[in-house]
Amino acid sequence: QVQLVESGGGLVQAGGSLRLSCAASGRTFSDYAMGWFRQAPGKEREFVAAISRSGGNTGYAESVKGRFTISRDIAKNTVYLQMNSLKGEDTAVYYCAAATGRRWTEITTLYDYWGQGTQVTVSS
């Protein structure tokens, strides 16, 4: 069992930045690929970014490439999402998730554990 707790969300103006954190506890953090997803009101949950167990491989949704960066600190059992140049369409609840395995994946159903989410609101 893995417990995930997100933090760092909030209200920011368009063009601004936020850094989300996801602290993991329970099983060995390095056993899991980690991902960030988001869900806006009335929309399905969508993939944002993911990182492999080692941190050596990452993947991003086209909509955030060049603006968002995912990273992980294995010593701190934490994964981060640095979000720059934020836009109104980035407004959503952001979720952290853990997937058993080595590779990162954008497939929602392959993630075994989920956090409760943190709200990000971008004002224009």
Side-chain angles (χ1 to χ4, degrees):
Q1 191 81 0
V2 175
Q3 293 77 43
L4 303 172
V5 179
E6 302 97 335
S7 61
L11 175 64
V12 63
Q13 288 189 332
S17 298
L18 281 175
R19 188 177 81 155
L20 304 183
S21 299
C22 172
S25 61
R27 298 285 296 274
T28 305
F29 181 60
S30 57
D31 285 347
Y32 298 89
M34 301 296 295
W36 285 98
F37 292 77
R38 67 187 181 187
Q39 187 166 18
K43 295 188 177 182
E44 292 189 355
R45 191 170 298 188
E46 65 174 4
F47 169 75
V48 175
I51 189 165
S52 63
R53 289 171 56 186
S54 68
N57 292 289
T58 58
Y60 297 91
E62 285 296 325
S63 60
V64 306
K65 273 184 182 178
R67 299 189 299 122
F68 291 10
T69 303
I70 188 171
S71 61
R72 68 190 297 166
D73 187 331
I74 292 176
K76 294 183 177 180
N77 287 358
T78 301
V79 62
Y80 304 98
L81 185 68
Q82 178 67 44
M83 306 186 296
N84 299 328
S85 303
L86 283 161
K87 306 175 182 179
E89 51 263 45
D90 295 319
T91 295
V93 177
Y94 283 71
Y95 298 90
C96 169
T100 305
R102 189 168 302 173
R103 293 183 174 273
W104 64 267
T105 177
E106 61 185 86
I107 302 173
T108 308
T109 54
L110 294 182
Y111 284 82
D112 304 296
Y113 303 100
W114 292 82
Q116 293 299 306
T118 185
Q119 176 71 47
V120 172
T121 303
V122 183
S123 63
S124 56

